[in-house]
Amino acid sequence: MDRDNGSGGPSTPSGPTARLRRRKGSTEVAPEVETNGDRLLFNDRNKYKSMLIRTYSTVWMIGGFVSIIYLGHLYIWAMVVVIQIFMAKELFNLLRKAHEDRQLPGFRLLNWHFFFTVMLFVYGRILSQRLVNTVTMDKFLYKLVGRLIKYHMVTCYFLYIAGFMWFILTLKKKMYKYQFSQYAWTHMILIVVFTQSAFTVANIFEGIFWFLLPASLIVINDIAAYIFGFFFGRTPLIKLSPKKTWEGFIGASFATMISAFVLANIMGRFQWLTCPRKDLSTGWLECDPGSLFKPEYYTVPQWFPEWFPWREISILPVQWHALCLGLFASIIAPFGGFFASGFKRAFKIKDFGDSIPGHGGITDRMDCQMVMAVFAYIYHQSFIVPQSLSIEMIMDQILMNLTFEEQRALYTKLGQIIIEKQFGES
Amino acid sequence: MRQKEQSPPPSPSTRLRHRKHTKSQEVFPDVSKLNGGSNLLVDDQNKYRSMWVRTLSSLWMLGGVILILYLGHLYICAMVVIIQILMAAELFHLRRIVHESKRLPGFWLINWYFFFTAMLYVYGRILRQHLVNTVTSDKFFYKLVNSLFKYHMVICYFLYIAGVMWFILTLKKRMYKYQFGQYAWTHMILIVVFTQSSFTVANIFEGIFWFIHPASLIAINDVAAYFFGFFFGRTPLIKLSPKKTWEGFIGGSFATVLFAFMLANILGQFRWMTCPRKDLSTGWLHCDPGPLFKLEYYPFPNNIAQLLPWKGMWISPVQWHALWLGLFASIIAPFGGFFASGLKRAFKIKDFGDSIPGHGGFTDRMDCQMVMAIFAYIYFQSFVLAPGSSVEMILDQIERSLSHEEQQKLYAMLGQIFQDQKYGYL
């Protein structure tokens, strides 16, 4: 792939879409033909080899992904954590200067200390209630877990302060600027990595559907943008990524929205994907999916062509929400890719890493996903979760936020309130 | 102060130390550096004048703070917000000065745009419940405010995304690195400024006590450390701030802890300080302060009682908590000051700003306060907050949002669940 860039003129680091386009390889055949005829076969062989590598790694990624979806929420969470660790490692390595680092032993350890502190904080918050629900069987464990959760915030805060003090005590003369920039850089990395993974994990436990659908939409958008750009691409889209075109962008938007509509229908029929997970078990899930996933039947209007096989289509209400997700995925999520491209150009790096053969690093794959995961969570919280404070929600709160004793206390008090009201009315 | 440049930039503690005393520490080194007797009177006049300026501005600050305390919670929050805006302005300005060469028109606008988005998000979250409580009298406003808050997260997210898109669309060739650096710097500033101010505001509405007590401890620690350092200071404490000494540090710690104990007693007797504010009104507060602030009489053991004129002490339980706050303020909070000193040295700046005559900028005053405010909030949430409060909150919600029939239904459902659990355990 490096040689391809060199022969194609002033090389420009490209976003994930361009790389995906290059996966098929055809866009770069034309420039090569014009330049050096004698290197054609040489280039061709490399291009096919690199395309094979990319396809191979893509297939492996998709295969691994599908098997983890089958295994369940807990394993998806583990996958997210692993991806996160790799992303953080890539990004930590990026702006380190080997010379300064030799004079500061143990500075890398500080980065990982902050990483694990933030991980403890973020996942502790999100999964504390589910952890409690898992250990309700054993009285002793329940008390232990309850106490750990109560002091969770203090623990994380003191771990962070310890790291902060460690940082200050290791400040070395003449290295101040480097150390402070590394400190700031560490914080930015952790924020970027953990925001998106925290929202992703929160989505997963609301139902795999809310993780799988947005993620697939990003992938579909990339591939569709490439195909449309390949066949119809003419006007360039943005200076940051010269290979992207307006035709690809608009065509991909349509394709993404249509596939969002269709995918939501398909995915919404599986209870494995739509049921929320209330604890940390790994068994099969059964639940009432709610009105959002109940199919409604619409008769096909008269003006539809004769060859249309169905006279009646079933639409799940969630498909309308999926349209909004698709709109966001096609219009706004690519800006994550532009941001990453601009960032790479600003710091003159080609790829964030080289973990995935043919694709670059994990951060290169995840840049658009990050924006999408955050939006999916916020959309879910604002528009999908029941609109008004209903009995179910309060029930959830009572069961999730209160200990047994507190639940009993609430029950007694509620009883008193109801009796007082009855007396007041009669 | 600015004529004496040979000594390294003084940290906030030393500046506060200078506030009270005739700066004897600096007279001797200066006398030794004097070229001739003719400079002596001039120097002395300048020193007294700058001390006079510092004392005057300190008195104004103290007076202003006391006035605002008297006015109440809402005005204290307004003061916090204003201090925040000034801090952010100083820090934004600083980065521009450090990299003076490149200026992009309209770029500062992006900084302030992100600032106001962050402010909307942070204060919206904290004051949500208070705002709802304020408008409960009017049904229409209640509905309006409730629906605004339901979409609060989406609104803030889209405002942020719009800012990011604006940033990406204004990326200019060859300025990428500078622009990304500014972007990162903006985020770091906003995080630092808003973390501490949001925790401060949350503290204020729990009771002015939880804001004024930690803040005074920091000020007292500074003053006490200066006094002890002035009289007994010999061994230097840390390379970052050469004027600090171990004797000052330890003496200051003792004084702070002692003062924390006594101040908690005094402050805890005022309802204005101890009552939480549940809405956004500004009137007088009535509440039952709770067992935390009730004074209990502890008689001294006989042998001590014979020596002292008092037979016993009145101690409220909150004073024991205050001991922990004092310990943190004296041992860990100074690291905030060290961090600021190191940062100023790394980027070769003398002060963060010059808003306050004689003291530097607002950030110079607030650097230790930031660490303390966060700790005070976390301590309060973990150790002080009565365990029954979450039951109260849920009961409040039930009474407010559910109709009578729904409450009875909830009661029945809870009863059923408890029955099931009881049988499950058997």
Side-chain angles (χ1 to χ4, degrees), chain B residues 39-51:
Chain B
N39 283 340
L40 220 104
L41 194 61
V42 175
D43 258 350
D44 264 355
Q45 268 183 344
N46 278 340
K47 201 183 352 291
Y48 278 116
R49 193 176 70 197
S50 46
M51 181 186 87

Side-chain angles (χ1 to χ4, degrees), chain A residues 224-381:
Chain A
Y226 167 68
I227 294 178
F228 277 93
F230 179 68
F231 285 118
F232 309 112
R234 227 160 306 242
T235 29
L237 179 63
I238 191 173
K239 279 192 310 286
L240 275 175
S241 305
K243 291 216 171 72
K244 294 194 200 279
T245 59
W246 273 103
E247 290 84 5
F249 185 71
I250 295 179
S253 306
F254 278 117
T256 307
M257 287 181 65
I258 294 175
S259 41
F261 198 73
V262 170
L263 266 184
N265 194 332
I266 299 174
M267 285 188 201
R269 298 184 192 275
F270 296 96
Q271 278 204 356
W272 183 240
L273 297 180
T274 59
C275 290
R277 175 78 80 178
K278 296 259 181 255
D279 56 17
L280 296 178
S281 64
T282 48
W284 210 248
L285 270 183
E286 277 171 352
C287 66
D288 169 24
S291 58
L292 210 54
F293 293 98
K294 276 208 209 349
E296 288 170 14
Y297 294 95
Y298 295 89
T299 43
V300 168
Q302 295 298 68
W303 45 265
F304 255 64
E306 291 285 322
W307 48 261
F308 201 66
W310 303 282
R311 286 292 106 203
E312 182 178 78
I313 40 178
S314 63
I315 296 189
L316 308 171
V318 75
Q319 293 184 251
W320 308 112
H321 291 292
L323 277 183
C324 292
L325 287 179
L327 197 66
F328 186 90
S330 48
I331 297 189
I332 302 187
F335 276 83
F338 299 155
F339 188 89
S341 299
F343 188 80
K344 282 188 283 195
R345 284 212 206 182
F347 294 94
K348 297 190 182 20
I349 46 187
K350 183 165 178 349
D351 278 329
F352 281 109
D354 49 18
S355 326
I356 311 180
H359 285 272
I362 297 208
T363 316
D364 294 299
R365 294 289 90 212
M366 299 298 283
D367 46 21
C368 293
Q369 298 279 4
M370 292 198 273
V371 184
M372 189 71 200
V374 176
F375 175 70
Y377 178 78
I378 292 182
Y379 186 86
H380 179 79
Q381 290 299 103

Side-chain angles (χ1 to χ4, degrees), chain A residues 154 157 168 382 397 406 422, chain B residues 154 191 335 371 382 387 397 408:
Chain A
V154 196
Y157 180 68
I168 290 179
S382 306
Q397 274 190 17
E406 289 175 332
Q422 281 179 332
Chain B
V154 196
I191 287 165
F335 277 83
V371 183
S382 306
Q397 279 184 346
Q408 286 180 316

